[in-house]
Amino acid sequence: MWLAGDVYITGHESDVLHSLQGAILLLESELPHLDFATPLGVLTFAPIAVLLGLGFGYGAAMAYSGVLLAVLFLPALYWVGVTRLSASVRLVWSAVIILLFTASVFGSTDTFNSFSMHYNRWSWAIAFILLTAVTFPNLKSDRELLDGTIVGICLSFLALTKITYFVALAPVILIALVARRQWRTIGTSALVGLVAILVVTIWAGGTSYWFALVEDLNMATSAGFTIRAGGWAQFVSRPDITFALIAMLVGAVLLSRAGETISSVVALALTPAFLFITYYNWGFEPKFLLFLALMMWVSKGNSHTVSIGYSMVMIGFLGPVFINLAISNLRPVAFQRDNFHSVFQEETNGALLFNRDRSYIRSVTVSEQENIDVIEFRNSKMVELNDCAIVSGSWGQSEAIMESLTDLDLNDGSQLLVADAFSDYWMFGNYGRLENGAIWQYGGAQGFENAKIVVVPDCAAKTHVRKAILTNLADAGYGLDLIERTDVAEIYRVIR
């Protein structure tokens, strides 16, 4: 992505704008959880905000944020590698982690380029540094204070980026350190964590930040949002997850037979932790098998040849995903600039570019059952919602809605509530951002008290979110007065 100068996006455009919203708001001294709702931590947006503040273009700030993190964590990566791994293994493992920091796609084998879910890549990179530090013995130094500092920084980063990683991995980290009797490492990492909590509390102006974070996490998990259709049973029965589960358990047995008792215990403890992380992250393949491959590769004992072979199976299983990560930054070099348009017209260097066809060629899906949901508001206004979801052309739809708002003189700063997963109009004109609202909606009621205008797309990115928002608005006792019905949306004024 960043090798091409400008930043070319060919998928998950709304996710990209969602991340950019958080960074811009952070740069404007708006605080996550307190001033805008999000289940993601402040460090999801902070690296992008730093580069925006230094004058980078919107696209460049997003692309180079991963490079910035890779540079910042390079000393920790070097120390953990040089004290625990052989030179050849260290080189390959470091390359994998740097790749996770800097790639231009979250994973998969799809050939699109996007910045979507970048925080998951970053968290895997940090998690792999962290797990390497606690799983394998320090062979060249007994500097537990330094090890503890690295462990504490990594855990703090996870807690302030994607807390599911912290919740899942913290108990495993403790088990590994206790098994190795690394008491000073435990104490130092706990101290670093307390310092991180104190710093964030002071920065946010009090402990209310943490209570607001809990509320946002509850929003994401309880506001009518289902992370996996079918729940845990269907998730575990997916072929790739079933393979990963069996691989982790068999790997633990092989490590035990090789005399690697602590690694075997860690592998067992990591099995539910890794499944938990994967379950709560959209579209994830089991990248964690790569760490199992590392554990098997560095194991000793009579079955070392078997362990090497087992590692190669894990690497082969994930090979296509990591090849996709590796070439993601090379792919845009072959793109034709004319096939893309600048999202922010004033950008000249490091611009954020969307594919024209995906932006403007509208494609929707409609349920064969032709379901119609009817929501009744306080003033007896009935809003009908068809089961129409937009697949591509969302940028063109947003532009059409913004033009309609401008024609109706509603670009006067009036705060907008968009009945869909995302609401980013405020970045492109004087369309009022919904104060205390969510930058990515899960169907909750955040910021409803500030809404003046409600936009209801005919075809939403997330139809269940559209329904949940309007249902919550009606249940809260608000009324709606139709202002305009356009080709792609209905625009209402809120009646209190």
Side-chain angles (χ1 to χ4, degrees):
M1 181 188 292
W2 43 272
L3 292 177
D6 293 330
V7 176
Y8 295 80
I9 302 297
T10 59
H12 296 276
E13 293 85 354
S14 298
D15 293 63
V16 173
L17 293 178
H18 156 247
S19 298
L20 195 54
Q21 282 188 79
I24 293 173
L25 291 172
L26 196 60
L27 192 61
E28 295 176 351
S29 299
E30 300 278 322
L31 303 182
H33 317 306
L34 292 175
D35 298 317
F36 61 94
T38 175
L40 300 172
V42 62
L43 293 183
T44 298
F45 313 110
I48 307 170
V50 168
L51 295 180
L52 286 175
L54 292 174
F56 283 69
Y58 292 111
M62 301 185 78
Y64 284 104
S65 58
V67 178
L68 173 63
L69 278 182
V71 171
L72 291 176
F73 277 93
L74 193 59
L77 178 58
Y78 172 79
W79 172 257
V80 169
V82 80
T83 55
R84 289 162 173 83
L85 304 173
S86 65
S88 58
V89 174
R90 178 169 70 245
L91 181 63
V92 174
W93 189 237
S94 298
V96 167
I97 291 174
I98 291 172
L99 179 61
L100 286 168
F101 275 125
T102 59
S104 299
V105 65
F106 65 86
S108 81
T109 56
D110 294 327
T111 57
F112 59 77
N113 269 46
S114 179
F115 198 70
S116 65
M117 294 170 283
H118 65 283
Y119 40 83
N120 289 331
R121 284 190 292 101
W122 294 354
S123 294
W124 274 125
I126 300 299
F128 284 162
I129 295 174
L130 175 62
L131 290 171
T132 305
V134 302
T135 302
F136 307 116
N138 190 326
L139 302 175
K140 297 183 180 180
S141 172
D142 60 353
R143 296 181 183 177
E144 287 191 47
L145 293 180
L146 182 54
D147 286 346
T149 301
I150 291 173
V151 170
I153 289 174
C154 289
L155 281 173
S156 298
F157 182 93
L158 294 178
L160 294 170
T161 303
K162 193 67 178 291
I163 201 167
T164 48
Y165 287 80
F166 174 84
V167 171
L169 294 178
V172 181
I173 301 306
L174 183 60
I175 289 172
L177 292 175
V178 169
R180 294 198 180 280
R181 301 182 181 277
Q182 301 290 306
W183 310 117
R184 285 184 293 175
T185 301
I186 294 173
T188 304
S189 62
L191 181 61
V192 171
L194 289 173
V195 170
I197 292 173
L198 180 62
V199 169
V200 173
T201 302
I202 294 173
W203 167 74
T207 57
S208 58
Y209 176 89
W210 303 107
F211 293 106
L213 169 59
V214 172
E215 289 181 7
D216 285 353
L217 293 172
N218 182 62
M219 165 197 73
T221 55
S222 65
F225 176 64
T226 303
I227 194 75
R228 296 274 186 193
W232 274 96
Q234 186 169 325
F235 168 68
V236 175
S237 65
R238 272 177 40 179
D240 58 337
I241 300 302
T242 301
F243 174 86
L245 175 59
I246 296 172
M248 290 295 295
L249 296 177
V250 172
V253 172
L254 291 175
L255 286 167
S256 178
R257 294 187 62 181
E260 301 284 352
T261 305
I262 293 178
S263 291
S264 176
V265 171
V266 171
L268 280 175
L270 281 174
T271 301
F274 281 154
L275 290 177
F276 178 85
I277 292 172
T278 306
Y279 180 80
Y280 281 102
N281 289 286
W282 181 87
F284 250 19
E285 56 280 312
K287 291 188 182 72
F288 55 82
L289 289 179
L290 202 63
F291 187 72
L292 175 63
L294 177 67
M295 295 173 74
M296 300 300 297
W297 192 282
V298 302
S299 67
K300 309 299 181 183
N302 297 330
S303 58
H304 184 58
T305 302
V306 175
S307 297
I308 293 294
Y310 200 78
S311 295
M312 295 304 295
V313 172
M314 300 303 104
I315 294 170
F317 182 77
L318 289 174
V321 173
F322 278 86
I323 289 173
N324 195 32
L325 289 169
I327 66 175
S328 61
N329 282 321
L330 300 174
R331 195 177 289 126
V333 175
F335 289 162
Q336 297 295 319
R337 179 65 169 78
D338 291 343
N339 294 331
F340 292 78
H341 68 95
S342 178
V343 178
F344 297 91
Q345 299 300 327
E346 70 277 9
E347 283 195 294
T348 55
N349 296 316
L352 180 63
L353 307 176
F354 285 177
N355 179 269
R356 289 186 185 277
D357 289 348
R358 281 190 54 85
S359 289
Y360 293 107
I361 297 178
R362 195 165 184 255
S363 172
V364 301
T365 60
V366 181
S367 171
E368 292 181 0
Q369 286 75 30
E370 297 183 357
N371 296 326
I372 300 293
D373 292 309
V374 179
I375 301 174
E376 182 176 358
F377 286 81
R378 186 191 70 193
N379 59 332
S380 299
K381 175 63 183 176
M382 312 291 281
V383 176
E384 295 185 353
L385 302 175
N386 57 13
D387 194 9
C388 177
I390 188 164
V391 178
S392 65
S394 59
W395 175 256
Q397 176 172 288
S398 294
E399 277 194 343
I401 292 173
M402 287 188 282
E403 288 175 5
S404 296
L405 290 170
T406 300
D407 292 341
L408 294 168
D409 294 326
L410 296 177
N411 59 335
D412 58 354
S414 297
Q415 295 187 38
L416 302 177
L417 170 63
V418 180
D420 203 351
F422 47 87
S423 175
D424 44 44
Y425 302 159
W426 63 270
M427 292 195 293
F428 306 102
N430 193 31
Y431 310 104
R433 183 182 71 84
L434 188 64
E435 293 181 7
N436 302 318
I439 57 175
W440 185 276
Q441 269 284 3
Y442 295 91
Q446 290 74 20
F448 279 14
E449 68 280 2
N450 299 315
K452 303 295 184 184
I453 305 297
V454 175
V455 176
V456 182
D458 291 341
C459 295
K462 305 288 184 182
T463 55
H464 67 282
V465 171
R466 179 184 60 181
K467 179 181 177 181
I469 290 173
L470 293 175
T471 300
N472 287 333
L473 193 65
D475 291 345
Y478 293 101
L480 292 182
D481 180 31
L482 181 65
I483 300 174
E484 183 80 10
R485 180 178 286 108
T486 75
D487 292 337
V488 294
E490 293 177 347
I491 301 172
Y492 296 92
R493 194 178 306 279
V494 177
I495 301 174
R496 286 179 164 75

